[in-house]
Amino acid sequence: MADEKLVYFFGDGRAEGRADMKEKLGGKGANLAEMTNLGVPVPPGFTISTEVCDIYYKNNNQYPDSLKEEVEKNLKKLEDLMGKKLGDPKNPLLVSVRSGSAISMPGMMDTVLNLGTNDEAIKGLEEMSGNKRFAWDSYRRFIQMFGNVVMGVVHEEFEKILNSQKKKKGVELDTELTAEDMMEIVSACKKLYKEKTGENFPTDPRTQLWMSIDAVFGSWNNERAIKYREINEIKGLLGTAVNVQTMVFGNSGENSGTGVCFSRDPSTGERHFYGEYLMNAQGEDVVAGIRTPESLDDMKNEMPDKYDQLVRIKDKLENHYKDMQDMEFTIENGTLYMLQTRTGKRTAQSAVTIAVEMVKEGLIDKQTAVMRVSPAQLDQLLHPMIDPKAKVNVIARGLPASPGAAVGEIVFTAKQAEEEAARGKKVILVRIETSPEDIGGMNVAKGILTARGGMTSHAAVVARGMGKCCVAGCSDVSILNDSECEIGGIHFNAGDLITLNGTKGEVIKGQVILVEPEPTGDFAELMKWADNIRKLKIRTNADTPGDAENARKLGAEGIGLCRTEHMFFEGNRVDAVREMILSDDEVGRRKALKKLLPMQQGDFEGIFKAMDGLPVTIRLLDPPLHEFLPQKDDEIEVLAKNMGVHLEKLKKKVESLKEFNPMLGHRGCRLGITYPEIYEMQVEAIFLAACVVKKNGIVVEPEVMIPLIGTLKEFSLLKDLTVKTAERILKEKNEKVKYLVGTMIEIPRAALVADKIALIADFFSFGTNDLTQMTFGYSRDDAGVFLTEYIDKGILEKDPFQVLDREGVGELVEVGIERGRNTRKELKVGICGEHGGDPSSVEFCYEVGMNYVSCSPFRVPIARLAAAQAVVKGKK
Amino acid sequence: MADEKLVYFFGDGRAEGRADMKEKLGGKGANLAEMTNLGVPVPPGFTISTEVCDIYYKNNNQYPDSLKEEVEKNLKKLEDLMGKKLGDPKNPLLVSVRSGSAISMPGMMDTVLNLGTNDEAIKGLEEMSGNKRFAWDSYRRFIQMFGNVVMGVVHEEFEKILNSQKKKKGVELDTELTAEDMMEIVSACKKLYKEKTGENFPTDPRTQLWMSIDAVFGSWNNERAIKYREINEIKGLLGTAVNVQTMVFGNSGENSGTGVCFSRDPSTGERHFYGEYLMNAQGEDVVAGIRTPESLDDMKNEMPDKYDQLVRIKDKLENHYKDMQDMEFTIENGTLYMLQTRTGKRTAQSAVTIAVEMVKEGLIDKQTAVMRVSPAQLDQLLHPMIDPKAKVNVIARGLPASPGAAVGEIVFTAKQAEEEAARGKKVILVRIETSPEDIGGMNVAKGILTARGGMTSHAAVVARGMGKCCVAGCSDVSILNDSECEIGGIHFNAGDLITLNGTKGEVIKGQVILVEPEPTGDFAELMKWADNIRKLKIRTNADTPGDAENARKLGAEGIGLCRTEHMFFEGNRVDAVREMILSDDEVGRRKALKKLLPMQQGDFEGIFKAMDGLPVTIRLLDPPLHEFLPQKDDEIEVLAKNMGVHLEKLKKKVESLKEFNPMLGHRGCRLGITYPEIYEMQVEAIFLAACVVKKNGIVVEPEVMIPLIGTLKEFSLLKDLTVKTAERILKEKNEKVKYLVGTMIEIPRAALVADKIALIADFFSFGTNDLTQMTFGYSRDDAGVFLTEYIDKGILEKDPFQVLDREGVGELVEVGIERGRNTRKELKVGICGEHGGDPSSVEFCYEVGMNYVSCSPFRVPIARLAAAQAVVKGKK
């Protein structure tokens, strides 16, 4: 150990480290070394390796024997290179000390700047810079930082001194303080330091240096850092490195300055060198916004040689890192230094453009390009967004249930929504919760806001399906009546304007300007590359021909979930459904079902046409029957009148269908078992439709899916019913149609007995919404109340209804696939829960060997990209 | 194959078969052989082995070559032994032909008696018996049986002939018909046979014999037999055997007779030879009940030598089979024959007495005795039962939710129940469903009848806990108002008498006489033996000191589940609970909780005292808070007034606590996470109580149990809270109390991550009620609607809330135990769901290595016995 190199020098165009030595040098140290080796001007310095940190903790807080000597050697080298000496009263070397581990880690020690100043050295700085105020200001800053960062003196205490000096001099800005003021402040700061630490401020620069180094290594195991590593499950790091680097000053005169720049435009992706700078200023000043920075384009005119040098460096760095760079630079007395370069953050639009253009420039390959765009970001390209420059007044927060933004007038009922929309008004539907009866109103609304319900509540699921903005479960909404509500304590009337940000779950007072993004040609190009890479098929959840067409445009390769019950609500079909429910016997039910049959058949014809040539998975009736009846007394009365049914009879029926826990009640295949005639009608409709469209030359591949299966026998009874009915229709119509009969795996037990179910199932589709509900015992409609707290307290990392829980639910999915394929090797397996559109979950689906994922139409592009990224990640 | 022996002879004191050859000879054949070998007089005959059946089906319905020859050889042997010949017109041998497989199987071919009669042979029979009518009656019976059983002619067609003859002769009874009538009937039957089969009735006895043998083998694979084997999962049998046995006639004269007898009294178990017989009669006549049979005691006087012979045979058979025997005998012309012996059916009382006495007699050992009583039967010994002799008018059926029977006047509210009970009335509480607020009324009622809810609904669980009879989910009950209802279409007013049979789930109109059984000394003795054998500890689910004492008397070795929430409803405590719920902040909640603290502490003191020296597992608050608030508008109004709370505020709170699926909502440890002060109060109460009773010399072992855990972090937060609070109290009180902190495993995910949870859990208790709900996705309160149909249709074999589903839920239990013990070898594991009292589930718990099961007090003896039987079965 002791023989190993502990300190790595960088400067003068050569460095002992490299970018790939992050583990030893930390991210910052490795990057400084890399830039140095590239010939980029970087203030010289050295990095104490992370191994020192490791040895320090393993040896009872003792450094390796050779460390002192190595640091001295490197310091000497630095002094020689710079022609300055630490603490030299004539020509002092000032350095910064920074921590830096392989993974960026908030909670570790902050920077100490200007180390090396003391009462003697400051005179040298004063002389060298010819700027007394600058010198003493630098000294002041050092004492503050050292006192705070190394010794733990509260920052505000130092600020008080500064403020009282400003008050005393009757000035407002720090810049209005004179050199003499700074000298007074320095002396007060030293006094405070002594008071708080019991020791004099250390004047010896070597003492300053070692105390700072100790502090960095000490901070590796402070509570915040340990907690951060725990929460983020960061393991296997040796420790932190320490970077000691020569100070350069952008504020040392009129020939100095500082700036930030991006190698391409971070908001559009355009290949335009973009940035801002300020002369005679420090980094902080640019951030503080006291002076308005100038554009880099101005620098081109004012300092053409520095600008040219910067452009050359920019090109070099971008070519080297092969990605858009976000850089910081400082000019000290006419000399340009690069302080930092890192991969630049960017908008979705920009990410796409940069990735595509870089491929065209030959800088990166297509796989790399595909990895450069975050799938979650894609949402921005598919929905209207709030103008990033707009000032917004957020009055309440709910769940970000469906992305995008919407502005409109408040309405409180589906009826109001339809009426106002018919008058050309843009409306936002505000409800306690939505139900299938609200579909019409939801469809015409620009956005939906609910007081109750989770990420997979009715409102959320339907809104995502429609690609419509929705904020759900916003408990700050209270609806007073059909024309008034309070949101976040503010009173609103019907017709008042609000804005929703469904991407963030925000409710905003008044009207905010929205940006309508358009998927560009670059977007389409990138998606094509993704499609070529990915192995998973991407299907969509769509219940109408319109949805299906939309999804197909967005790249869907089939329907993975067509919910037949949504069709039951359209127009006045629900009347026939209700007639069926109220029938006393099978004969009556069959009579009512006969009315529904042609309507369902029509739906399926439309969907088959829209999906010509692609598979369509149709789920037979799933929700409990009471969802089709009104629950409130007045609504029941109206219905009884309309249907000509005795009120008491209707009430009794509603009462008898009530369930304590409908999610675990009489629904799904349980309906198919107790009322086989319902499933029979649905299967008839599917195959009658298939025969009709096939005659018109449409290629049709129905996949009949039985929901909520928990035992082999359930599935076997209902598969028999399906096959018998299908064969009967095909024989009657003298047609041949290839079809599959499969099941959802959404009940924990189904995953456990998957080997048996696979004996007769052609496919499995994991319904991970319900599977998550039952595996966790969380009702997705009710869990909102505690889920937020669960995530805040770190009990859950993510909402398991958004991101598939690999540990629990994921194990059941894996078990289900493994057992299913053990029985039937060629079993087709997919997912149709909300997770099908979540990037991390898509990755999981690929890893466990699914054939496809299915998601809402507007998440299809996200799933396509995520599926491609999963392949690339898998190769690495 | 062809070399193997195919036919086994029995007769004259020697048989080629034995009792342990059931697989080859079927149950009946093996038993006849065994009796013969014992020297018991059995009509001789031979058995064609089940292997013939196997070969027959494997060889395209062809018998093995040597069969014919073997049958002839054995027939010859039989003829020689009897001194008669098949079809001999002078001295004909008549035989019976019967099927018989290793497992008794309804649906296979019935008996053919009197085979060998024809127009010639009948004369021989007439001569031999000197009884023409008997001879022709025998012939008639043979044609009928053969026609029906072998040729499938409908039995009623033959009966019509008999009836028309009786009409013609103006008589009522068969016995009034003369020999000549019988001759006419024989001729008519032959005609019918020809009409229906197209063939003449076969006159050749060998043809009769082979046709009968063919029919027996053919019936092995008839639809009913196949279905029966399917339903009962009977596999691995070779086929059926065929028994050909000499006929003996109890109706051949005044010196003949027939009877049935039991080696001990089947209803009391008394060692008293018990039975009935009829002279000059056949078995059918005893059953038909036309003549009153005489008691065996009379036989002692009337036919002392036959009686003595029968007693010797009885003793021999009981000593041989070492169990109470149910025997059939026939006396033919003064000669006694045993036709059958089998293990006798018996009441619970009798089973216990016989088992215990047989041990005392040295006939069986204790392990065998323990296996002789069915645990399910024990219920009969612990609850009042409907007098088995009573005639009952069952008007509706529901679920057998809690065993026993009850008679009382109908009441419709808990309040009515309490008022009427206070007046000394016996009442039956009839409700749509019960809620925790009904506890008072349930407690005073004799029985509970609900219109809704399953085997684990509130009513069912509470009733079982109280050992009170309950019929739940009886959909034929409709409650019209607070003083009227309809049950099974019959109108009842409050105060009308009904009887409930909770063991069968029956509702009976009016008052029925009940029998109050008392556990006898034999019962206690048997339970002691069971206790010595079993390895599982048996605990009880008890929420009150009274329950706890009861359970301890019944043998409970601790409490496995003490539900703290039931305590929240007692008296006016619920006021404080409601105050807590309505508090706006933690301060308010703590104030209200302070009021509850001394009450809970008192409860725990009582329970600890009752359980002195035994472990007590206390589950912290589990149900959602809305269960403590009224739901109906008028009740809310009353409460608002009583509490002095603003009505709107209360309504809002009730509304905000409403859940779509409370079972999957904000309950269990989720309450502990969001309102830690509730759990803190409960833990305080537990340890304050422990300190108090310990000072009084009570040995106390609290086990704090956190419900509904799904992740390690939930448990870790709440375990910390528990330990911190416990240690604080113990330090304050300067006491040391040994305690454990563990969790329920009732969420599928918890079983999957059991390895992690076991890192810090001292014990697991499987909550298989909830685990079943979530693994199947069945709400136990709602599943009643389809579960019955599921069982009828064979989708489920048993109600999974009654008998643990080994395939699905069981796998999760096994996984949970295995993973838990992988982490913590000494992990204590138990079960506290309803399954803890179900014998088959108890066996499962033993097999998977649990330490204990916990069940309602009244099921403790059942669990004790089942646990012992599991050990004995495991050894076999």
Side-chain angles (χ1 to χ4, degrees), chain B residues 352-353 355-357 359-360 366 369-370 519-533 864-865:
Chain B
V352 170
T353 301
V356 171
E357 293 203 348
V359 170
K360 290 186 180 160
K366 289 173 183 170
V370 160
T520 63
D522 286 339
F523 172 78
E525 183 103 41
L526 188 78
M527 293 309 292
K528 207 170 65 193
W529 298 341
D531 290 344
N532 286 334
I533 294 167
R864 286 159 72 194
L865 184 59

Side-chain angles (χ1 to χ4, degrees), chain A residues 714 756 790 807 811 819, chain B residues 714 756 790 807 819:
Chain A
E714 279 173 320
K756 285 170 193 151
Y790 264 46
E807 193 180 20
E811 178 174 352
R819 294 187 183 177
Chain B
E714 279 173 319
K756 286 173 190 146
Y790 264 46
E807 192 180 21
R819 294 187 183 175

